[in-house]
Amino acid sequence: MYSGPAAAAGPPRRDFISVALGPEEAVGVGGYNNSKAWRRRSCWRKWKQLSRLQRSVILFLFAFLAVCGVISYTSVGEAWKSITNKSLDNQRTQEEIPGLKLANPAVLPAPQKADASRGDYPELSPQKPPKLPHVRRGPSNLQIKAPRRDMRLKTLHDTVKAVEELVEADKAEKTEKSIISWRGAVIEPDQNTEPPSTKIKESEKPSSVQAEDQKEPVPINERQLAVIEAFRHAWKGYKDFAWGHDELKPLSKSYSEWFGLGLTLIDALDTMWILGLKEEFEEARKWVANDLVFDKNVDVNLFESTIRILGGLLSTYHLSRDSLFLEKAKDIGNRLMPAFKTPSKIPYSDVNIGRGTAHPPRWTSDSTVAEVTSIQLEFRELSRLTGDEKFQKAVDEVMKHVHTLSGKNDGLVPMFINTNSGQFTHLGVYTLGARADSYYEYLLKQWIQGGKKENELLEDYMKAIEGVKKHLLQRSEPKKLTFVGELAHGHFSAKMDHLVCFLPGTLALGAHNGLAADHMKLAETLIETCYQMYVQTETGLSPEIVHFNLRAQKGHKDVEIKPADRHNLLRPETVESLFYMYRFTGDKKYQDWGWEILQNFNRYTRVPTGGYTSINNVQNPRNPEPRDKMESFFLGETLKYMFLLFSDDIDLINLDKYVFNTEAHPLPIWVPA
Ligand code: DMJ
């Protein structure tokens, strides 16, 4: 090695590291001497000639290399790779959605790419690990050769810490990979972020974040295939005649707009995921990426857009892990927030999502009780995912306020609430049907979502069910069907909306979560009644509203239908409850009942050129009077619940891990049972 003229001329400089050997030491003045003693002495002399700084630096380097060597032998190679992948992914995500930076990346699970122009999405194609140049496998992967630039400058302590972080990141990535799957296999929810206000204790961390082996996919059966066929037929109509619009008008081969936000398409996204309709999903995703714009001067109903759009996007995000859907959910969530700017904090019914203004309906300053109390699952989840508390705060405040209100009757609530005073209005009328229904549903479901800790919710739910038993239950003649009627100023009415048929499912869900066993008994009797609402009509399809006979009359069935009530809107509630009942009891009769209903939908509501239609008259099989409209919930809810009902795979949306919003969009339970 060349030592330069200075080294040859005088004593070596001591302010830099030099391991250059002078000619005498290198070869030895008296000729070549390679004895051990000579070598030891020579090395020692060299060492002593070094400055203190030089010695410290060499010692430090040795220590550094030794520690890195030991640690990296086990895991650095893989971890390194994972970090590199992650940073590549993040980089891609941000490049692909310019302007859409994650507000709180720290609390978000690692997002998948959100490529607006790309048609595919990661989980649908075989999962090949991305190729990384120059990264070898195995223990020798201690990447001292090619560490990241910033790593070279780290102190030993920092390095060890960084290595530990890499190991953690690696574990997290492995877990994430193991829980992403397509329909038919386990779909694990992403529960591993914390609600902003409640810290989940280490011991309560959901099982899904521990590595879980995936089980074999359960094959799809004949009935499920029939649901897929029905969905495809409905989708064909929507695609051909209403693409990107709110609802299909299958007879006139056109569409109707409500909010102008592609309602059916968004409502159907997670159904397609669950049914395994990859191509359809991919096409719909493209539309969301390229054409779904919320910056529009349009009034939307807060409740409907929350349960269908926000709920649909959130659940699709959870199933697909595609950050596109979360970004869209954040966008619509933010745009809905002006609704809460009222004197009482009880939200207005309508919001202009482009202008950021909100207002009640033209004729009143009241909001509907079910509407203001059935947006909580979605906004709470949005807070959990974004780390932004404002969403949860706004909806929790509504629940807390309603909890304290007077005007309830043994836990039963009136149907209206004033946005100025915050008080119930139109007191004295109690129903589990329209305008109150999902208040009861969301009491239980929020309690489940939050890990069964929010006692006020449970208290209100239990009280309300007691109120139902005390005031609203009656038995019909001749079959003695137990039904849920209504109470108006002390007068019982034997009227029951089809909407009430959500109740058996909700009761069963409560019983499954440890609530009173008699709730399950009640669920069993009520689902029989709901089924009879179908069986006792000429088409085998339920009308919108029935009146039960309280007295036996010759030639009369239990169910009476008024001319104004004999329409069927393809609603999901009975099928929804059948799904819960089958999941919790395993009694095949529930599947058979659902199968009959599907066949009757096919018989009376299917439009040959594509799509299904609401009908005006369930009592006339020869002419059910098609209404020329396919509601978005037929794809979002009815067919989804059908598919799940016919499945024997309890992990296909496991009810201990997911809670369905009122539009059948599954959201993760924060602390699963
Ligand atoms: C859906 O939008 C929701 O299920 C809501 O809670 C009630 N109405 C329809 C379905 O019938």
Side-chain angles (χ1 to χ4, degrees):
M1 186 185 289
Y2 176 67
S3 59
R13 290 177 55 178
R14 294 180 174 253
D15 58 348
F16 59 91
I17 300 173
S18 169
V19 285
L21 304 175
E24 48 171 351
E25 281 108 346
V27 185
V29 177
Y32 179 67
N33 178 354
N34 196 29
S35 74
K36 258 193 191 163
W38 186 89
R39 268 186 282 141
R40 224 180 285 134
R41 252 200 328 272
S42 169
C43 282
W44 179 242
R45 217 178 305 135
K46 285 281 163 243
W47 176 252
K48 296 214 56 168
Q49 279 171 0
L50 295 175
S51 74
R52 198 176 294 160
L53 173 66
Q54 288 170 325
R55 280 187 234 149
S56 325
V57 171
I58 291 171
L59 282 174
F60 173 79
L61 276 175
F62 272 120
F64 172 80
L65 290 174
V67 170
C68 289
V70 170
I71 295 170
S72 70
Y73 185 80
T74 51
S75 53
V76 169
E78 285 301 308
W80 197 276
K81 210 172 61 181
S82 111
I83 282 284
T84 323
N85 288 355
K86 270 187 194 277
S87 68
L88 281 176
D89 274 354
N90 286 343
Q91 202 183 318
R92 236 177 281 146
T93 306
Q94 299 210 341
E95 277 164 13
E96 286 159 7
I97 339 175
L100 285 183
K101 287 232 171 93
L102 303 179
N104 291 282
V107 289
L108 288 170
Q112 296 288 334
K113 54 197 155 224
D115 180 353
S117 58
R118 232 175 27 87
D120 59 354
Y121 34 94
E123 295 70 33
L124 301 187
S125 26
Q127 291 177 17
K128 279 190 207 144
K131 276 191 189 154
L132 292 175
H134 314 306
V135 178
R136 284 183 295 126
R137 290 187 169 279
S140 60
N141 249 356
L142 174 62
Q143 296 292 318
I144 290 183
K145 284 182 204 152
R148 284 193 328 210
R149 200 160 25 103
D150 53 336
M151 292 286 283
R152 285 193 213 121
L153 305 172
K154 278 191 182 295
T155 63
L156 182 61
H157 174 76
D158 284 348
T159 310
V160 173
K161 223 172 130 209
V163 169
E164 283 167 2
E165 282 165 10
L166 295 180
V167 173
E168 278 312 306
D170 181 44
K171 272 191 209 154
E173 192 193 58
K174 276 185 186 147
T175 307
E176 193 185 23
K177 280 218 171 104
S178 79
I179 59 181
I180 293 172
S181 67
W182 183 250
R183 183 268 315 133
V186 185
I187 298 174
E188 292 289 348
D190 169 32
Q191 293 148 325
N192 58 342
T193 50
E194 295 180 11
S197 48
T198 26
K199 276 238 165 219
I200 302 171
K201 282 186 245 128
E202 202 53 41
S203 59
E204 294 170 334
K205 283 264 166 71
S207 57
S208 69
V209 295
Q210 290 140 22
E212 245 180 42
D213 283 342
Q214 289 212 354
K215 58 175 199 156
E216 283 295 300
V218 176
I220 291 179
N221 58 46
E222 291 287 309
R223 287 178 175 180
Q224 284 179 294
L225 283 175
V227 179
I228 291 175
E229 193 282 322
F231 185 97
R232 280 213 160 109
H233 183 77
W235 192 248
K236 179 191 166 351
Y238 178 73
K239 200 177 146 186
D240 288 352
F241 312 121
W243 184 250
H245 297 284
D246 283 342
E247 291 134 348
L248 167 68
K249 294 177 80 176
L251 294 173
S252 49
K253 299 193 176 71
S254 63
Y255 56 83
S256 54
E257 290 300 25
W258 190 3
F259 309 142
L261 296 172
L263 214 51
T264 295
L265 188 148
I266 300 177
D267 227 357
L269 283 167
D270 58 2
T271 306
M272 290 187 268
W273 184 274
I274 291 167
L275 268 58
L277 300 175
K278 298 182 188 189
E279 269 169 40
E280 289 85 347
F281 182 88
E282 189 177 329
E283 227 175 330
R285 183 202 178 275
K286 263 192 203 159
W287 184 86
V288 172
N290 298 325
D291 301 303
L292 177 58
V293 177
F294 292 130
D295 191 9
K296 271 188 172 177
N297 180 8
V298 60
D299 277 355
V300 304
N301 175 282
L302 171 69
F303 163 74
E304 297 292 357
S305 51
T306 298
I307 65 168
R308 301 185 198 212
I309 299 174
L310 179 56
L313 291 168
L314 286 175
S315 97
T316 307
Y317 166 68
H318 276 293
L319 298 178
S320 68
R321 303 290 162 92
D322 184 336
S323 63
L324 167 71
F325 300 108
L326 180 56
E327 293 305 326
K328 292 290 181 187
K330 275 196 275 185
D331 190 6
I332 186 70
N334 275 309
R335 289 172 186 279
L336 292 173
M337 288 306 283
F340 295 90
K341 283 190 201 141
T342 69
S344 66
K345 310 264 180 65
I346 297 296
Y348 289 131
S349 58
D350 297 284
V351 193
N352 187 303
I353 53 172
R355 290 197 185 142
T357 53
H359 59 88
R362 232 170 278 140
W363 59 93
T364 175
S365 54
D366 288 352
S367 284
T368 296
V369 169
E371 292 194 358
V372 301
T373 56
S374 311
I375 48 180
Q376 277 66 16
L377 292 177
E378 299 81 357
F379 278 96
R380 282 155 51 112
E381 178 58 11
L382 188 57
S383 270
R384 194 182 71 102
L385 287 173
T386 59
D388 189 342
E389 290 185 12
K390 71 173 180 231
F391 306 111
Q392 171 154 14
K393 258 179 130 183
V395 294
D396 278 355
E397 207 159 317
V398 176
M399 291 315 293
K400 288 213 172 82
H401 178 76
V402 170
H403 175 74
T404 62
L405 279 185
S406 58
K408 294 181 198 156
N409 186 1
D410 290 318
L412 303 176
V413 290
M415 294 187 286
F416 296 99
I417 186 164
N418 190 270
T419 50
N420 294 321
S421 69
Q423 300 299 310
F424 288 131
T425 63
H426 302 80
L427 300 183
V429 180
Y430 303 100
T431 173
L432 260 80
R435 297 189 182 278
D437 49 359
S438 43
Y439 161 73
Y440 304 101
E441 179 188 349
Y442 268 37
L443 286 175
L444 178 75
K445 288 184 172 177
Q446 285 175 82
W447 178 71
I448 292 172
Q449 177 191 43
K452 306 187 201 172
K453 290 174 188 157
E454 295 150 289
N455 292 336
E456 287 184 354
L457 295 167
L458 177 61
E459 209 181 286
D460 288 351
Y461 176 73
M462 294 303 281
K463 249 194 217 160
I465 300 304
E466 287 312 302
V468 170
K469 288 193 220 161
K470 185 167 165 193
H471 299 288
L472 304 183
L473 287 189
Q474 285 278 0
R475 295 177 92 193
S476 66
E477 294 294 345
K479 281 189 180 283
K480 307 210 181 307
L481 303 172
T482 302
F483 69 93
V484 184
E486 297 183 352
L487 198 63
H489 310 290
H491 293 290
F492 180 80
S493 156
K495 163 180 177 275
M496 180 166 156
D497 294 352
H498 182 271
L499 287 169
V500 182
C501 288
F502 81 93
L503 188 59
T506 299
L507 287 168
L509 181 65
H512 174 74
N513 278 279
L515 304 186
D518 72 326
H519 286 200
M520 193 64 190
K521 283 266 152 281
L522 182 55
E524 280 164 8
T525 46
L526 287 177
I527 190 62
E528 168 76 39
T529 306
C530 289
Y531 172 57
Q532 287 296 325
M533 287 164 64
Y534 285 70
V535 171
Q536 297 197 10
T537 71
E538 289 73 1
T539 56
L541 290 174
S542 170
E544 179 73 357
I545 299 170
V546 300
H547 287 78
F548 285 94
N549 280 317
L550 293 173
R551 276 175 297 117
Q553 283 171 278
K554 218 171 162 216
H556 282 249
K557 301 178 191 163
D558 299 72
V559 164
E560 298 281 347
I561 305 165
K562 304 205 164 159
D565 304 333
R566 58 189 183 196
H567 49 287
N568 178 298
L569 304 183
L570 313 171
R571 285 197 191 275
E573 290 77 16
T574 296
V575 182
E576 169 185 351
S577 284
L578 288 171
F579 156 64
Y580 285 104
M581 295 308 293
Y582 180 67
R583 271 281 167 101
F584 298 138
T585 66
D587 189 335
K588 299 262 182 216
K589 81 176 174 203
Y590 299 124
Q591 287 186 325
D592 295 342
W593 294 356
W595 180 239
E596 278 174 38
I597 294 172
L598 178 62
Q599 285 172 307
N600 290 329
F601 276 135
N602 275 328
R603 218 165 271 146
Y604 299 109
T605 71
R606 186 173 162 118
V607 178
T609 44
Y612 288 74
T613 177
S614 306
I615 54 174
N616 264 331
N617 191 351
V618 295
Q619 294 180 300
N620 188 348
R622 273 186 300 163
N623 180 14
E625 300 167 30
R627 275 193 165 196
D628 195 18
K629 178 147 165 183
M630 184 173 78
E631 300 281 349
S632 79
F633 51 69
F634 183 62
L635 299 190
E637 297 193 69
T638 311
L639 291 180
K640 183 190 289 149
Y641 281 131
M642 287 270 188
F643 187 80
L644 293 171
L645 164 66
F646 298 142
S647 168
D648 281 314
D649 181 4
I650 63 154
D651 282 318
L652 187 58
I653 313 297
N654 186 317
L655 290 174
D656 292 325
K657 293 175 180 169
Y658 283 103
V659 62
F660 283 92
N661 87 340
T662 192
E663 189 76 7
H665 298 303
L667 299 173
I669 295 171
W670 296 343
V671 186

